[in-house]
Amino acid sequence: MAITYCREKEQFRLDSAHTSYLIGVTQEGYVGHIYYGERVNCFGGEDAFRLDEVPGPGKRKREKCAFLASFPFEYPTAGVGDFRDSCLDVENEAGQRGCELFYDSYKIETGKPLLPGLPATFAGDEEEDVQTLYLILKDPVLKLKVTLLYSVFEKEDAITRSAVIENEGTQRLMLHRAASACLDMDNRAFETVTLEGAWARERHPQRGRLLRGRSEFSSIRGVSSPQLNPFLALVTPETTQRAGEVYAMNFVYSGNFAAVADLSMYGSVRMTMGIHPWQFAWNLCAGESFTAPEVVMVYSGEGLGKMTRSFHSLYRKHLIRSPYKDKDRPVLINNWEGTYFDFDTEKLIAIAKAAKEVGVEMFVMDDGWFGKRNNDDCGLGDWYVNEEKLVGGLTRLGQAIHDLGMKFGIWIEPEMVSPDSDLFRAHPDWAIQIPGREPTLARHQLVLDITRKEVRDAVCDMIRSAFNTTKIDYVKWDMNRYLCDIGSAAGGPEYQGELLHRYVLALYEMQERLITDFPDILFENCSSGGARFDPGMLYFSPQIWTSDDTDAIERLHIQEGTALVYPMETMGAHVSKCPNEQVGRMVPIETRANVALAGTFGYELDMTRLPEEEKKKIPGQIARYHRFHGLVAGGDYYRLNSWCEEEPWDCWENVSEDRAQALITYVQVLGRPNTGSRLVRAEGLDPYAVYHLTILKDGEETEMKQEFPGSALMHFGLRIPALGDFQSVLYYLEKTREEEP
Ligand code: DGJ
């Protein structure tokens, strides 16, 4: 049993393979947090709770205000005396804001419920591996019922959380905040780990000391954002990849979010995650309910590496639904960096042909095929083919690509409209904007009010008709601006505070329609590069474009940060031309490919213009992708080194589940004069196995005669010679036999 209840102590224990989470109920009915960490096989004792009451009288006659200031609530509420960050902030009909929740009842079930309209992890085939605790709390004054959902994924050491808030009274209530999860713990000199960035610099790992007060890591851009990913971990100071304690949360949501760590005056830390309260005001009429999106919590007592592997295996088995998730994806060529808007049918076919000759398997036509879109200041919303550019339409192009024996993919940006478009001229009120105020353009475009069904229907219909003219094998769904001027013509004042969340729900509904209408399509999400790389999007697409920065060296940090949480095969990673479009760097094609092999592999260049010397290397790279992708996509990931000024080399390892194979990728970022070789210690191998080593460098394979015991590789290490700037090597290990223990 993953979840047990101790009636005598009024405590709940949620056990996964290596962790336990304890919740208790006080005599007054407050629901509080007792413990989260390494697995324990007992419930909490008398002193389980932090009931310090500083200052204040003894146990039974609590000074309520002092009690509320320090009690570790499972789902804290705002307005009645707990001044720390809260999860729930409710306004009554009279305009007053206060809420207090007391324990009512519980239910434990095998499996896991779906969250209506929201992406969420699911139990999968082995239902019994997941159990869900429903804790029911009530506010008797507001007649509000809150159900806290905790699902325990035993094997993956993960707990998911959500909350359903129901108005059981007769008055209309307003939710100003409805967060999804809270973790209230004693401070242990915690540090925060977050993924920060910007366009073309997404998800760089960032670590900092947690200071007193409320630290917020958030997005109010309408998307989960490149500036901060919806991920927050609190780690003890000694934490490394291999050791130390980690408490992590990741939000299964693609819009505004707030991840907060609030270090209180008493030295307790409250960590919360949920929809950002900014511009959020949700009406909860009598009888209605609101579901807060899911948060995934992972605890690791063995450093960040173990946390990563928990997220990866949870998302692989219980979040990504695509039929492609366990398949090698076709190696693609995308024309964006090769041509931008400057193409016609002949040019695209020529690129596809040249790519086919070197073994590329799919051609993807990016932005610019529809309406009058010859640059980025017009055409969005006009989802019919530009026949001047693409003579013969999608039918002819699609046919030509398929005749080459390649798959055919296409780019769309369905959430947007250009003011210079037929769609906008016909329906100017379909854009999100505040009447009377000039809406702010970004990339010359506006955001469609997809919360309106007629807007969703019109866009989906146009796209469906375009797709029905030829066989589409792949779709890249892009989204190239943030949301502002939050105003909708769809409803009155009460609608406006709901718009941002309704937008995300509408986006999910549109993506669900696409994958239902075209179940065979391989679907890739994208947002100005990687602005919406989050678990919500992974529920719909098995891969996401990681960044518009395709420089292999820049990609090292981006991919390291992304892979800290998200499975490697979900990262779209392409080899592009040199000098690189974003930073002008010249990196050998070998290293460009080795870095892209860490994700879902492809090319993004004009193959007709690639130097012959480089072209010759492509068949070997494609063969390597197919040879090793199973290891990357299904194996365990270990981060062996992260490059910085002092250590200008980067290294990671993928180990198959049965530990019979491993691939170590080593990239020398900058060479150093007069330095020797270095030992790199492998991880996750079988210590009693003997491995055969193949070294892959510059397209050459060298099979080493010597055999390498797993324990030696993990403890002595693998000796790697000094390399020059931007050089890289792959080390492939294959188990040959077992040794006597
Ligand atoms: C942003 C994407 O990240 C790029 O890959 C490309 O598709 C452009 N948009 C096209 O406008």
Side-chain angles (χ1 to χ4, degrees), residues 199 334 336 341 366-367 373 411 413 443 476 478 480 526-530 545 547-548 604:
W199 172 77
N334 176 306
W336 178 243
F341 295 99
D366 211 280
D367 195 354
R373 191 145 167 105
W411 175 100
E413 193 177 358
R443 209 193 187 203
K476 176 177 173 188
D478 203 348
N480 284 301
C526 168
S527 176
S528 290
W545 182 229
S547 176
D548 276 344
E604 181 142 346

Side-chain angles (χ1 to χ4, degrees), residues 1 85 107 169 218 275 312 321 607 620 658 710 720 724 731:
M1 280 284 277
D85 193 56
K107 185 170 77 171
S218 60
I275 294 178
H312 286 194
R321 298 175 296 167
M607 197 61 90
D658 61 3
I720 297 189
Y731 294 88

Side-chain angles (χ1 to χ4, degrees), residues 443-608:
R443 209 193 187 203
H444 317 287
Q445 64 200 53
L446 294 170
V447 183
L448 279 174
D449 184 0
I450 55 169
T451 69
R452 297 168 65 169
K453 187 168 179 305
E454 67 273 28
V455 177
R456 295 199 296 277
D457 287 349
V459 173
C460 288
D461 286 352
M462 271 189 273
I463 288 172
R464 204 180 296 118
S465 338
F467 286 10
N468 281 334
T469 59
T470 189
K471 185 174 181 311
I472 306 284
D473 302 295
Y474 158 107
V475 167
K476 176 177 173 188
W477 179 308
D478 203 348
M479 194 283 193
N480 284 301
R481 64 157 291 173
Y482 306 130
L483 274 65
C484 61
D485 301 301
I486 302 306
S488 168
E494 71 294 339
Y495 196 81
Q496 312 306 315
E498 299 185 351
L499 188 64
L500 282 162
H501 179 54
R502 282 183 183 274
Y503 182 89
V504 181
L505 295 177
L507 161 70
Y508 292 149
E509 201 244 308
M510 286 172 81
Q511 297 221 338
E512 192 68 39
R513 281 196 209 187
L514 181 83
I515 58 176
T516 311
D517 288 353
F518 300 95
D520 298 330
I521 279 181
L522 169 59
F523 186 20
E524 176 158 346
N525 264 295
C526 168
S527 176
S528 290
R532 222 164 38 182
F533 206 120
D534 58 61
M537 291 284 101
L538 286 181
Y539 185 72
F540 298 95
S541 67
Q543 59 198 60
I544 301 177
W545 182 229
T546 314
S547 176
D548 276 344
D549 195 336
T550 54
D551 171 66
I553 301 303
E554 285 291 308
R555 274 291 181 121
L556 292 173
H557 277 327
I558 297 172
Q559 293 183 184
E560 176 188 350
T562 309
L564 185 70
V565 184
Y566 307 103
M568 300 187 84
E569 69 280 12
T570 64
M571 301 189 289
H574 299 169
V575 174
S576 62
K577 66 170 186 279
C578 273
N580 177 265
E581 286 285 287
Q582 292 79 28
V583 289
R585 194 176 275 130
M586 302 289 292
V587 173
I589 195 157
E590 189 72 18
T591 295
R592 280 180 266 157
N594 285 345
V595 173
L597 284 176
T600 284
F601 190 72
Y603 293 84
E604 181 142 346
L605 38 77
D606 181 348
M607 197 61 90
T608 62

Side-chain angles (χ1 to χ4, degrees), residues 328 597 620-632 661 663 694 696 701 703 732 734:
D328 271 16
L597 284 176
Q621 295 171 354
I622 293 176
R624 243 171 278 154
Y625 165 75
H626 287 300
R627 179 170 169 199
F628 298 131
H629 190 66
L631 265 178
V632 172
Q661 296 175 71
L663 182 71
T694 306
L696 296 98
E701 289 197 19
E703 293 201 14
Y732 175 56
E734 213 174 0

Side-chain angles (χ1 to χ4, degrees), residues 657-669:
E657 229 176 331
D658 61 3
R659 301 193 288 179
Q661 296 175 71
L663 182 71
I664 295 176
T665 307
Y666 178 96
V667 180
Q668 185 74 49
V669 175

